[in-house]
Amino acid sequence: MVEITEKIQFLIEQKSWKLLKTELQILEPQYIAEVIEYLSKTDKIILFRILSEEAAKEAFQLLSYDEQEDIIEGLAEYSHKLTALLNDLDPDDRTAFFEELPGKVSQRLVQMLSKDEREITIKLLGYPEDSIGRLMTPEFVAVKPHHTVAQALEHIRKFGRDSETLNVIYVVDDDWKLVDDIRIKEIILASPEQKISEISDNRFVSLNAYDDQEVAVKVFRDWDRVALPVTDKNNTLLGIVTFDDIMDVAEEEYSEDIHKFGGTEGLDLSYTKTPLFELVKKRAGWLIVLFLGQLLTATAMTHFAIELEKAIVLTLFIPLIISSGGNSGSQAASIIIRSLALGELQLKSWWYVMRKEIFSGLMLGSILGIVGFFRIFIWQKAGFYDYGFYWIWVSISVSISLILIVLWGTLAGSMIPFLLKKLKQDPATASAPFVATLVDVTGLIIYFSVAAVVLTGKLL
Protein backbone atom coordinates (compact mmCIF):
# COMPACT_ATOMS: atom_id res chain seq x y z
CA MET A 1 0.00 0.00 0.00
CA VAL A 2 2.92 2.32 0.78
CA GLU A 3 4.34 1.71 -2.69
CA ILE A 4 1.03 2.60 -4.37
CA THR A 5 0.72 5.76 -2.29
CA GLU A 6 4.24 6.88 -3.13
CA LYS A 7 3.60 6.19 -6.83
CA ILE A 8 0.39 8.25 -6.74
CA GLN A 9 2.19 11.11 -4.97
CA PHE A 10 5.02 11.01 -7.53
CA LEU A 11 2.59 11.18 -10.46
CA ILE A 12 0.81 14.15 -8.87
CA GLU A 13 4.12 15.98 -8.32
CA GLN A 14 5.12 15.32 -11.93
CA LYS A 15 1.65 16.38 -13.12
CA SER A 16 1.43 13.17 -15.13
CA TRP A 17 -2.36 13.33 -15.29
CA LYS A 18 -2.85 10.68 -17.98
CA LEU A 19 -0.68 8.15 -16.17
CA LEU A 20 -2.36 9.02 -12.88
CA LYS A 21 -5.81 8.50 -14.38
CA THR A 22 -4.73 5.13 -15.81
CA GLU A 23 -3.29 4.06 -12.46
CA LEU A 24 -6.48 5.03 -10.60
CA GLN A 25 -8.66 3.10 -13.06
CA ILE A 26 -7.07 -0.21 -12.03
CA LEU A 27 -7.34 0.46 -8.28
CA GLU A 28 -10.31 -0.80 -6.25
CA PRO A 29 -12.28 1.89 -4.37
CA GLN A 30 -11.10 0.64 -0.96
CA TYR A 31 -7.47 1.06 -2.03
CA ILE A 32 -8.19 4.54 -3.36
CA ALA A 33 -9.74 5.42 0.01
CA GLU A 34 -6.63 4.17 1.81
CA VAL A 35 -4.34 6.19 -0.48
CA ILE A 36 -6.37 9.34 0.16
CA GLU A 37 -5.77 9.09 3.90
CA TYR A 38 -2.02 9.51 3.33
CA LEU A 39 -2.22 12.42 0.89
CA SER A 40 -2.11 16.11 1.69
CA LYS A 41 -5.40 18.04 1.44
CA THR A 42 -4.37 19.60 -1.87
CA ASP A 43 -3.39 16.23 -3.35
CA LYS A 44 -6.69 14.70 -2.19
CA ILE A 45 -8.63 17.27 -4.15
CA ILE A 46 -6.49 16.74 -7.25
CA LEU A 47 -7.03 12.98 -7.03
CA PHE A 48 -10.81 13.40 -6.64
CA ARG A 49 -10.98 15.70 -9.65
CA ILE A 50 -9.35 13.01 -11.78
CA LEU A 51 -11.44 10.09 -10.53
CA SER A 52 -14.42 8.96 -12.55
CA GLU A 53 -17.82 9.75 -11.03
CA GLU A 54 -18.45 6.12 -10.08
CA ALA A 55 -15.01 5.67 -8.50
CA ALA A 56 -15.30 8.99 -6.64
CA LYS A 57 -18.69 7.98 -5.23
CA GLU A 58 -17.55 4.57 -4.00
CA ALA A 59 -14.27 5.86 -2.53
CA PHE A 60 -15.98 8.81 -0.81
CA GLN A 61 -18.41 6.50 0.99
CA LEU A 62 -15.47 4.59 2.47
CA LEU A 63 -13.78 7.66 3.95
CA SER A 64 -14.04 8.87 7.54
CA TYR A 65 -16.25 11.88 8.29
CA ASP A 66 -13.23 14.20 8.62
CA GLU A 67 -11.85 13.05 5.29
CA GLN A 68 -15.23 13.55 3.64
CA GLU A 69 -15.46 17.08 5.01
CA ASP A 70 -11.98 17.90 3.67
CA ILE A 71 -12.99 16.65 0.23
CA ILE A 72 -16.23 18.69 0.23
CA GLU A 73 -14.42 21.86 1.31
CA GLY A 74 -11.70 21.33 -1.29
CA LEU A 75 -14.15 20.69 -4.12
CA ALA A 76 -16.25 23.74 -3.27
CA GLU A 77 -14.36 25.73 -5.92
CA TYR A 78 -15.17 23.07 -8.51
CA SER A 79 -18.94 23.13 -8.33
CA HIS A 80 -19.48 20.80 -11.30
CA LYS A 81 -17.36 18.05 -9.79
CA LEU A 82 -18.84 18.54 -6.33
CA THR A 83 -22.38 18.51 -7.70
CA ALA A 84 -21.73 15.29 -9.60
CA LEU A 85 -20.23 13.68 -6.49
CA LEU A 86 -23.15 14.66 -4.23
CA ASN A 87 -25.78 13.57 -6.74
CA ASP A 88 -24.09 10.20 -7.28
CA LEU A 89 -23.81 9.30 -3.61
CA ASP A 90 -26.27 6.74 -2.28
CA PRO A 91 -29.09 8.66 -0.52
CA ASP A 92 -28.53 7.08 2.90
CA ASP A 93 -24.76 7.73 2.82
CA ARG A 94 -25.30 11.29 1.65
CA THR A 95 -27.89 11.89 4.36
CA ALA A 96 -25.68 10.43 7.07
CA PHE A 97 -22.94 12.80 5.95
CA PHE A 98 -25.23 15.84 5.82
CA GLU A 99 -26.60 15.15 9.30
CA GLU A 100 -23.10 15.56 10.74
CA LEU A 101 -22.56 18.94 9.11
CA PRO A 102 -23.51 22.34 10.57
CA GLY A 103 -26.85 23.64 9.30
CA LYS A 104 -25.33 26.33 7.08
CA VAL A 105 -23.02 23.81 5.36
CA SER A 106 -25.67 21.16 4.72
CA GLN A 107 -28.05 23.87 3.48
CA ARG A 108 -25.45 25.00 0.93
CA LEU A 109 -24.74 21.46 -0.23
CA VAL A 110 -28.42 20.56 -0.59
CA GLN A 111 -28.71 23.38 -3.12
CA MET A 112 -26.21 21.58 -5.36
CA LEU A 113 -28.33 18.45 -5.70
CA SER A 114 -30.63 17.75 -8.60
CA LYS A 115 -34.34 18.21 -7.95
CA ASP A 116 -35.00 14.48 -7.52
CA GLU A 117 -31.98 13.90 -5.30
CA ARG A 118 -32.82 16.99 -3.24
CA GLU A 119 -36.31 15.68 -2.54
CA ILE A 120 -34.89 12.35 -1.43
CA THR A 121 -32.26 14.02 0.76
CA ILE A 122 -34.70 16.36 2.45
CA LYS A 123 -36.99 13.41 3.13
CA LEU A 124 -34.14 11.44 4.71
CA LEU A 125 -32.58 14.29 6.64
CA GLY A 126 -34.52 13.34 9.73
CA TYR A 127 -37.52 15.61 9.34
CA PRO A 128 -40.67 13.92 10.63
CA GLU A 129 -43.40 12.94 8.23
CA ASP A 130 -45.79 15.85 7.58
CA SER A 131 -43.22 18.30 8.96
CA ILE A 132 -42.40 21.62 7.30
CA GLY A 133 -38.88 20.33 6.62
CA ARG A 134 -40.35 17.95 4.05
CA LEU A 135 -41.88 20.88 2.15
CA MET A 136 -39.04 23.37 2.06
CA THR A 137 -36.85 24.15 -0.92
CA PRO A 138 -33.29 25.52 -0.69
CA GLU A 139 -33.79 27.58 -3.84
CA PHE A 140 -33.84 31.15 -2.51
CA VAL A 141 -31.68 34.27 -2.56
CA ALA A 142 -30.02 35.59 0.58
CA VAL A 143 -27.89 38.70 1.10
CA LYS A 144 -25.79 40.03 3.97
CA PRO A 145 -26.66 43.09 6.11
CA HIS A 146 -23.42 44.86 5.11
CA HIS A 147 -24.18 44.60 1.41
CA THR A 148 -25.22 47.77 -0.35
CA VAL A 149 -28.44 47.75 -2.36
CA ALA A 150 -26.34 47.81 -5.54
CA GLN A 151 -24.38 44.74 -4.37
CA ALA A 152 -27.61 42.99 -3.38
CA LEU A 153 -29.14 43.60 -6.82
CA GLU A 154 -26.02 42.29 -8.52
CA HIS A 155 -26.18 39.20 -6.28
CA ILE A 156 -29.87 38.72 -7.14
CA ARG A 157 -29.14 38.98 -10.86
CA LYS A 158 -26.39 36.38 -10.52
CA PHE A 159 -28.19 33.81 -8.38
CA GLY A 160 -31.87 34.65 -8.73
CA ARG A 161 -32.49 32.65 -11.89
CA ASP A 162 -32.77 29.37 -9.96
CA SER A 163 -34.67 30.84 -7.01
CA GLU A 164 -38.14 29.55 -6.25
CA THR A 165 -39.37 33.11 -5.81
CA LEU A 166 -37.85 36.59 -5.94
CA ASN A 167 -40.72 38.33 -4.18
CA VAL A 168 -38.81 38.15 -0.91
CA ILE A 169 -35.05 38.36 -0.33
CA TYR A 170 -33.63 37.00 2.91
CA VAL A 171 -30.99 38.67 5.05
CA VAL A 172 -28.54 36.40 6.90
CA ASP A 173 -25.43 36.98 8.97
CA ASP A 174 -22.07 35.30 8.38
CA ASP A 175 -23.29 32.17 10.19
CA TRP A 176 -26.43 31.99 8.04
CA LYS A 177 -28.64 33.02 10.94
CA LEU A 178 -31.81 34.63 9.65
CA VAL A 179 -31.85 38.37 10.33
CA ASP A 180 -34.73 39.65 8.22
CA ASP A 181 -36.78 39.20 5.09
CA ILE A 182 -37.23 42.10 2.68
CA ARG A 183 -39.68 42.44 -0.18
CA ILE A 184 -37.91 42.91 -3.51
CA LYS A 185 -39.91 46.10 -4.03
CA GLU A 186 -38.16 47.74 -1.06
CA ILE A 187 -34.73 46.87 -2.45
CA ILE A 188 -35.53 48.13 -5.94
CA LEU A 189 -36.87 51.46 -4.62
CA ALA A 190 -33.99 52.04 -2.19
CA SER A 191 -30.91 54.11 -3.00
CA PRO A 192 -28.07 52.00 -4.49
CA GLU A 193 -25.65 53.29 -1.81
CA GLN A 194 -27.86 52.28 1.11
CA LYS A 195 -26.85 49.21 3.08
CA ILE A 196 -29.31 46.35 3.44
CA SER A 197 -29.17 46.83 7.22
CA GLU A 198 -30.54 50.35 6.76
CA ILE A 199 -33.72 49.16 5.08
CA SER A 200 -34.18 46.20 7.44
CA ASP A 201 -36.49 46.34 10.45
CA ASN A 202 -35.41 42.90 11.78
CA ARG A 203 -39.04 41.83 12.01
CA PHE A 204 -39.90 38.63 10.23
CA VAL A 205 -42.01 35.50 10.50
CA SER A 206 -40.34 32.12 10.13
CA LEU A 207 -41.26 28.46 10.36
CA ASN A 208 -39.45 25.70 12.21
CA ALA A 209 -38.43 22.77 10.04
CA TYR A 210 -39.83 20.31 12.62
CA ASP A 211 -43.25 21.94 13.01
CA ASP A 212 -46.30 20.22 11.55
CA GLN A 213 -47.31 21.32 8.07
CA GLU A 214 -50.69 22.48 9.42
CA VAL A 215 -48.77 25.15 11.37
CA ALA A 216 -47.47 26.50 8.07
CA VAL A 217 -50.99 26.62 6.63
CA LYS A 218 -52.17 28.73 9.57
CA VAL A 219 -49.15 31.06 9.47
CA PHE A 220 -49.56 31.66 5.74
CA ARG A 221 -53.22 32.43 6.25
CA ASP A 222 -52.56 34.79 9.19
CA TRP A 223 -49.66 36.69 7.57
CA ASP A 224 -50.69 36.67 3.91
CA ARG A 225 -47.24 35.75 2.55
CA VAL A 226 -46.14 34.23 -0.77
CA ALA A 227 -43.17 32.52 0.90
CA LEU A 228 -41.83 31.99 4.40
CA PRO A 229 -38.33 31.10 5.59
CA VAL A 230 -37.66 27.79 7.33
CA THR A 231 -35.09 27.64 10.12
CA ASP A 232 -33.70 25.09 12.54
CA LYS A 233 -33.69 25.44 16.34
CA ASN A 234 -30.62 27.70 16.10
CA ASN A 235 -32.37 30.06 13.64
CA THR A 236 -30.13 28.93 10.78
CA LEU A 237 -31.89 29.54 7.48
CA LEU A 238 -32.41 26.14 5.84
CA GLY A 239 -34.86 26.90 3.06
CA ILE A 240 -38.20 28.43 2.22
CA VAL A 241 -41.77 27.21 1.82
CA THR A 242 -43.85 28.80 -0.92
CA PHE A 243 -47.56 29.48 -1.10
CA ASP A 244 -48.23 26.90 -3.82
CA ASP A 245 -46.73 24.12 -1.65
CA ILE A 246 -48.92 25.18 1.25
CA MET A 247 -52.00 25.22 -0.97
CA ASP A 248 -51.30 21.58 -1.83
CA VAL A 249 -51.08 20.75 1.88
CA ALA A 250 -54.24 22.71 2.69
CA GLU A 251 -56.11 20.91 -0.09
CA GLU A 252 -54.96 17.53 1.23
CA GLU A 253 -55.97 18.42 4.79
CA TYR A 254 -59.32 19.75 3.61
CA SER A 255 -60.01 16.63 1.55
CA GLU A 256 -59.03 14.42 4.46
CA ASP A 257 -61.34 16.29 6.82
CA ILE A 258 -64.20 16.11 4.33
CA HIS A 259 -63.74 12.36 4.01
CA LYS A 260 -63.61 11.92 7.78
CA PHE A 261 -66.65 14.12 8.31
CA GLY A 262 -68.51 12.05 5.74
CA GLY A 263 -67.68 8.88 7.66
CA THR A 264 -64.91 7.44 5.49
CA GLU A 265 -61.12 7.23 5.45
CA GLY A 266 -59.21 9.64 3.22
CA LEU A 267 -58.47 8.43 -0.32
CA ASP A 268 -54.78 8.22 -1.17
CA LEU A 269 -55.57 8.70 -4.87
CA SER A 270 -58.34 10.53 -6.70
CA TYR A 271 -61.76 8.87 -6.83
CA THR A 272 -61.33 7.88 -10.48
CA LYS A 273 -57.94 6.25 -9.82
CA THR A 274 -58.90 4.44 -6.61
CA PRO A 275 -59.50 0.70 -7.22
CA LEU A 276 -62.95 -0.62 -6.33
CA PHE A 277 -61.65 -2.89 -3.55
CA GLU A 278 -59.71 -0.01 -1.98
CA LEU A 279 -62.79 2.23 -2.17
CA VAL A 280 -64.92 -0.39 -0.40
CA LYS A 281 -62.20 -0.93 2.21
CA LYS A 282 -62.02 2.80 3.00
CA ARG A 283 -65.78 3.02 3.55
CA ALA A 284 -66.63 -0.33 5.13
CA GLY A 285 -65.04 0.32 8.53
CA TRP A 286 -67.17 3.33 9.39
CA LEU A 287 -70.30 1.73 7.95
CA ILE A 288 -69.87 -1.29 10.24
CA VAL A 289 -69.34 0.95 13.28
CA LEU A 290 -72.39 3.05 12.40
CA PHE A 291 -74.47 -0.04 11.71
CA LEU A 292 -73.65 -1.44 15.13
CA GLY A 293 -74.55 1.92 16.60
CA GLN A 294 -77.90 1.91 14.83
CA LEU A 295 -78.62 -1.51 16.32
CA LEU A 296 -78.92 0.34 19.61
CA THR A 297 -81.88 2.15 18.06
CA ALA A 298 -83.67 -1.16 17.68
CA THR A 299 -82.73 -2.00 21.28
CA ALA A 300 -84.21 1.30 22.49
CA MET A 301 -87.46 0.68 20.61
CA THR A 302 -87.68 -2.84 22.05
CA HIS A 303 -87.41 -1.36 25.52
CA PHE A 304 -90.47 0.79 24.80
CA ALA A 305 -92.42 -1.95 23.03
CA ILE A 306 -95.31 -1.83 25.53
CA GLU A 307 -95.76 1.93 25.06
CA LEU A 308 -95.74 1.45 21.27
CA GLU A 309 -98.43 -1.25 21.49
CA LYS A 310 -100.69 1.04 23.53
CA ALA A 311 -100.04 4.19 21.48
CA ILE A 312 -99.16 3.10 17.93
CA VAL A 313 -99.56 6.73 16.86
CA LEU A 314 -96.17 7.48 18.44
CA THR A 315 -94.39 5.48 15.71
CA LEU A 316 -95.55 7.99 13.08
CA PHE A 317 -93.20 10.65 14.45
CA ILE A 318 -90.06 8.53 14.99
CA PRO A 319 -88.46 9.55 11.62
CA LEU A 320 -89.28 13.19 12.38
CA ILE A 321 -87.75 12.99 15.85
CA ILE A 322 -84.49 11.21 15.01
CA SER A 323 -83.82 13.20 11.81
CA SER A 324 -84.25 16.53 13.63
CA GLY A 325 -81.78 15.53 16.34
CA GLY A 326 -79.25 14.14 13.84
CA ASN A 327 -79.49 17.19 11.58
CA SER A 328 -78.98 19.65 14.45
CA GLY A 329 -76.01 17.63 15.71
CA SER A 330 -74.39 17.49 12.26
CA GLN A 331 -74.87 21.23 11.81
CA ALA A 332 -73.22 22.03 15.13
CA ALA A 333 -70.35 19.60 14.53
CA SER A 334 -69.56 21.05 11.09
CA ILE A 335 -69.51 24.63 12.43
CA ILE A 336 -67.28 23.80 15.41
CA ILE A 337 -64.86 21.61 13.42
CA ARG A 338 -64.44 24.38 10.85
CA SER A 339 -63.85 26.99 13.56
CA LEU A 340 -61.27 24.77 15.29
CA ALA A 341 -59.47 24.21 11.99
CA LEU A 342 -59.30 27.96 11.31
CA GLY A 343 -58.04 28.66 14.82
CA GLU A 344 -61.12 30.76 15.67
CA LEU A 345 -61.79 28.46 18.64
CA GLN A 346 -59.32 26.90 21.06
CA LEU A 347 -59.72 23.99 23.46
CA LYS A 348 -60.36 26.45 26.28
CA SER A 349 -63.33 27.87 24.35
CA TRP A 350 -65.54 24.86 25.15
CA TRP A 351 -67.48 26.59 27.93
CA TYR A 352 -68.20 29.61 25.73
CA VAL A 353 -69.40 27.30 22.96
CA MET A 354 -71.55 25.24 25.34
CA ARG A 355 -73.37 28.30 26.67
CA LYS A 356 -73.96 29.59 23.17
CA GLU A 357 -75.18 26.22 21.88
CA ILE A 358 -77.58 25.77 24.81
CA PHE A 359 -79.43 28.91 23.77
CA SER A 360 -79.13 28.00 20.08
CA GLY A 361 -80.48 24.52 20.72
CA LEU A 362 -83.41 25.81 22.77
CA MET A 363 -84.33 28.37 20.12
CA LEU A 364 -83.99 25.95 17.20
CA GLY A 365 -85.84 23.22 19.11
CA SER A 366 -88.65 25.62 19.96
CA ILE A 367 -89.01 26.60 16.30
CA LEU A 368 -89.26 22.95 15.24
CA GLY A 369 -91.53 22.18 18.20
CA ILE A 370 -93.98 24.89 17.14
CA VAL A 371 -93.87 23.70 13.52
CA GLY A 372 -94.48 20.10 14.67
CA PHE A 373 -97.41 21.13 16.89
CA PHE A 374 -99.16 23.05 14.10
CA ARG A 375 -98.49 20.26 11.64
CA ILE A 376 -100.47 17.82 13.84
CA PHE A 377 -103.10 20.48 14.57
CA ILE A 378 -103.72 21.25 10.90
CA TRP A 379 -103.80 17.60 9.83
CA GLN A 380 -106.24 16.78 12.64
CA LYS A 381 -108.61 19.70 12.01
CA ALA A 382 -108.48 19.41 8.22
CA GLY A 383 -109.26 15.72 8.40
CA PHE A 384 -106.08 14.58 6.68
CA TYR A 385 -105.42 12.14 9.55
CA ASP A 386 -107.09 11.26 12.85
CA TYR A 387 -104.56 11.11 15.67
CA GLY A 388 -107.23 10.04 18.16
CA PHE A 389 -109.05 11.57 21.08
CA TYR A 390 -105.79 12.62 22.82
CA TRP A 391 -104.26 14.20 19.73
CA ILE A 392 -103.50 17.44 21.61
CA TRP A 393 -101.38 15.53 24.14
CA VAL A 394 -99.61 13.69 21.34
CA SER A 395 -98.73 17.02 19.72
CA ILE A 396 -97.46 18.34 23.07
CA SER A 397 -95.29 15.23 23.48
CA VAL A 398 -93.85 15.69 20.00
CA SER A 399 -93.18 19.40 20.57
CA ILE A 400 -91.44 18.93 23.93
CA SER A 401 -89.43 16.03 22.53
CA LEU A 402 -88.27 18.12 19.58
CA ILE A 403 -87.05 20.90 21.88
CA LEU A 404 -85.09 18.48 24.07
CA ILE A 405 -83.72 16.38 21.22
CA VAL A 406 -82.55 19.35 19.14
CA LEU A 407 -80.94 20.80 22.29
CA TRP A 408 -79.19 17.49 22.95
CA GLY A 409 -78.11 17.13 19.29
CA THR A 410 -76.68 20.65 19.25
CA LEU A 411 -74.74 20.09 22.48
CA ALA A 412 -73.43 16.68 21.36
CA GLY A 413 -72.39 17.97 17.94
CA SER A 414 -70.56 20.96 19.40
CA MET A 415 -68.85 19.21 22.34
CA ILE A 416 -67.63 15.99 20.69
CA PRO A 417 -65.01 17.83 18.56
CA PHE A 418 -63.64 19.46 21.74
CA LEU A 419 -63.51 16.06 23.46
CA LEU A 420 -61.60 14.56 20.54
CA LYS A 421 -59.18 17.50 20.50
CA LYS A 422 -58.63 17.05 24.24
CA LEU A 423 -57.78 13.39 23.57
CA LYS A 424 -55.34 14.60 20.87
CA GLN A 425 -57.47 13.13 18.08
CA ASP A 426 -58.57 14.83 14.87
CA PRO A 427 -61.85 16.72 15.60
CA ALA A 428 -62.97 15.91 12.04
CA THR A 429 -63.43 12.32 13.23
CA ALA A 430 -66.67 13.62 14.79
CA SER A 431 -68.29 12.83 11.46
CA ALA A 432 -71.85 13.69 10.54
CA PRO A 433 -72.93 10.00 10.49
CA PHE A 434 -71.29 9.41 13.88
CA VAL A 435 -73.05 12.36 15.54
CA ALA A 436 -76.34 11.48 13.83
CA THR A 437 -76.16 7.86 15.04
CA LEU A 438 -75.42 8.93 18.60
CA VAL A 439 -78.31 11.41 18.64
CA ASP A 440 -80.68 8.90 16.98
CA VAL A 441 -80.31 6.41 19.82
CA THR A 442 -80.51 8.93 22.64
CA GLY A 443 -83.26 10.84 20.80
CA LEU A 444 -85.57 7.82 20.90
CA ILE A 445 -85.01 7.47 24.63
CA ILE A 446 -85.86 11.15 25.13
CA TYR A 447 -88.96 10.88 22.89
CA PHE A 448 -90.46 7.84 24.60
CA SER A 449 -89.58 9.14 28.05
CA VAL A 450 -91.39 12.42 27.35
CA ALA A 451 -94.37 10.53 25.89
CA ALA A 452 -94.50 8.28 28.96
CA VAL A 453 -94.74 11.33 31.25
CA VAL A 454 -97.25 13.31 29.16
CA LEU A 455 -99.48 10.44 28.04
CA THR A 456 -99.61 8.36 31.22
CA GLY A 457 -103.23 8.05 32.29
CA LYS A 458 -104.36 8.95 28.78
CA LEU A 459 -103.04 6.74 25.98
CA LEU A 460 -100.62 4.92 28.27
Side-chain angles (χ1 to χ4, degrees), residues 168-428:
V168 181
I169 305 301
Y170 300 94
V171 184
V172 296
D173 63 16
D174 292 335
D175 294 321
W176 276 87
K177 302 286 193 240
L178 182 61
V179 176
D180 200 2
D181 57 0
I182 304 177
R183 296 182 185 275
I184 188 67
K185 175 183 176 182
E186 298 176 39
I187 296 178
I188 293 174
L189 296 178
S191 171
E193 294 78 23
Q194 277 188 287
K195 290 186 179 296
I196 292 297
S197 58
E198 295 176 19
I199 60 174
S200 300
D201 58 11
N202 297 327
R203 293 189 300 174
F204 59 88
V205 181
S206 63
L207 301 168
N208 188 289
Y210 290 90
D211 282 343
D212 192 272
Q213 292 175 3
E214 289 189 13
V215 174
V217 175
K218 185 177 185 305
V219 174
F220 266 87
R221 184 171 55 243
D222 292 344
W223 291 90
D224 191 25
R225 298 296 183 93
V226 295
L228 282 173
V230 181
T231 62
D232 61 12
K233 62 181 180 181
N234 298 316
N235 198 41
T236 301
L237 181 59
L238 302 176
I240 63 172
V241 174
T242 55
F243 183 74
D244 56 338
D245 294 326
I246 292 302
M247 284 298 94
D248 292 338
V249 173
E251 184 178 351
E252 288 180 15
E253 294 291 338
Y254 180 71
S255 298
E256 183 180 350
D257 287 347
I258 288 295
H259 287 138
K260 287 181 178 179
F261 195 70
T264 183
E265 296 180 41
L267 299 179
D268 298 323
L269 301 173
S270 67
Y271 179 84
T272 55
K273 295 182 179 178
T274 302
L276 178 60
F277 179 77
E278 185 69 15
L279 192 64
V280 172
K281 180 181 175 183
K282 292 285 187 181
R283 296 159 69 174
W286 262 111
L287 281 178
I288 293 171
V289 172
L290 296 173
F291 176 76
L292 295 175
Q294 288 289 1
L295 289 177
L296 296 176
T297 303
T299 302
M301 292 184 68
T302 303
H303 181 74
F304 293 99
I306 297 176
E307 286 80 358
L308 287 172
E309 288 178 5
K310 292 181 180 179
I312 196 67
V313 69
L314 294 176
T315 60
L316 299 175
F317 302 101
I318 289 177
L320 171 72
I321 294 295
I322 61 176
S323 64
S324 297
N327 290 341
S328 64
S330 298
Q331 276 187 342
S334 62
I335 292 172
I336 300 306
I337 290 171
R338 179 62 175 164
S339 297
L340 286 170
L342 292 175
E344 298 172 352
L345 294 174
Q346 305 299 325
L347 191 57
K348 62 183 179 181
S349 306
W350 72 270
W351 178 236
Y352 164 79
V353 172
M354 176 177 278
R355 287 184 319 217
K356 198 167 187 176
E357 290 303 313
I358 286 174
F359 288 107
S360 296
L362 287 172
M363 293 174 69
L364 292 170
S366 298
I367 292 171
L368 295 185
I370 293 171
V371 172
F373 180 89
F374 279 103
R375 193 295 193 171
I376 298 173
F377 175 81
I378 293 171
W379 256 242
Q380 180 71 28
K381 293 301 181 181
F384 295 142
Y385 191 86
D386 183 9
Y387 294 104
F389 181 75
Y390 295 104
W391 69 268
I392 189 69
W393 296 104
V394 172
S395 62
I396 291 173
S397 298
V398 171
S399 297
I400 295 175
S401 297
L402 281 170
I403 294 172
L404 295 177
I405 289 169
V406 171
L407 172 61
W408 164 241
T410 302
L411 285 175
S414 60
M415 289 296 106
I416 289 176
F418 281 104
L419 177 62
L420 290 171
K421 191 173 180 67
K422 176 69 174 177
L423 297 174
K424 301 189 182 305
Q425 301 296 315
D426 188 348

Side-chain angles (χ1 to χ4, degrees), residues 79-95:
S79 59
H80 175 73
K81 186 70 177 182
L82 180 56
T83 299
L85 172 62
L86 292 173
N87 279 307
D88 288 338
L89 289 176
D90 294 334
D92 53 345
D93 292 315
R94 180 173 58 230
T95 302

